[in-house]
Amino acid sequence: MSRPPSSQTTPQFYRVSERDLTEIELHSVDSINDLHRTHAEHSHKGIRPPRPAYTPSPNGNPHMCEMIAVNQSSHPVSSKWQSRLQDMLTPSSSRAYAMGCAIITLLLLTVFLIFYFLVQQGGAIQILTEAVREKEAAATELSILIQELQTLRHNLTAMRGGT
């Protein structure tokens, strides 16, 4: 018997309840724990004691505290941070575009700040140059005044001596 071509091309999806997912997860954890118990020589040095088997409540669902323990043991905190870090470092077109824009913006901001400080330094150099010129002019004028005073003193001494 052959199937119609339409059933071969369309995938079929089945709805899985939360209860079924929880039971699958619990059985997976139990299987992993059993593997660790039976193959202790292959496990890591820091061996944890096996998790006690769960007992379902009268309605067939596991107790809430046990569900939390299973969720915490199946998703360690370090792997959560590692996956987030890996997601941040994985290049995607929108993330790469955003990172490129951020880098270019930072570079342009840096160049702008460098030119801003160079212009400020240029203004400060102009002010200092003017102050040095004024000081040189004042020093020149002071030296001329000193020469005139020496000449007057010399003349005054000559007049006193001649009288």
Side-chain angles (χ1 to χ4, degrees):
M1 266 191 190
S2 66
R3 293 183 177 169
S6 63
S7 68
Q8 292 177 351
T9 57
T10 57
Q12 293 187 2
F13 297 99
Y14 297 101
R15 172 117 170 94
V16 179
S17 69
E18 289 292 321
R19 180 177 174 220
D20 291 339
L21 286 175
T22 304
E23 286 198 31
I24 291 169
E25 185 176 345
L26 289 172
H27 287 297
S28 299
V29 170
D30 286 338
S31 297
I32 291 170
N33 285 338
D34 290 342
L35 282 173
H36 283 294
R37 276 194 297 271
T38 57
H39 300 290
E41 67 274 0
H42 297 295
S43 64
H44 300 288
K45 289 188 176 185
I47 300 173
R48 292 184 298 196
R51 189 179 64 80
Y54 72 97
T55 55
S57 62
N59 63 0
N61 292 330
H63 296 289
M64 191 57 137
C65 62
E66 290 173 353
M67 278 181 37
I68 293 169
V70 167
N71 286 338
Q72 288 175 349
S73 67
S74 66
H75 299 292
V77 177
S78 63
S79 70
K80 184 189 296 184
W81 286 108
Q82 287 173 350
S83 66
R84 282 188 183 177
L85 181 63
Q86 188 174 9
D87 287 345
M88 287 182 355
L89 296 177
T90 304
S92 67
S93 61
S94 62
R95 188 174 293 143
Y97 179 76
M99 288 296 285
C101 288
I103 289 171
I104 289 172
T105 303
L106 286 174
L107 287 173
L108 289 174
L109 183 65
T110 304
V111 168
F112 173 75
L113 286 174
I114 289 171
F115 280 123
Y116 175 76
F117 286 119
L118 286 176
V119 167
Q120 276 191 336
Q121 295 300 320
I125 288 174
Q126 285 179 345
I127 292 171
L128 285 173
T129 304
E130 288 178 26
V132 167
R133 286 182 187 155
E134 288 175 6
K135 186 175 180 180
E136 286 175 352
T140 304
E141 190 177 337
L142 190 61
S143 66
I144 291 171
L145 286 175
I146 290 173
Q147 286 177 357
E148 288 180 4
L149 276 174
Q150 286 175 344
T151 305
L152 285 173
R153 186 179 191 192
H154 181 66
N155 289 343
L156 188 61
T157 306
M159 284 175 57
R160 277 192 200 165
T163 48

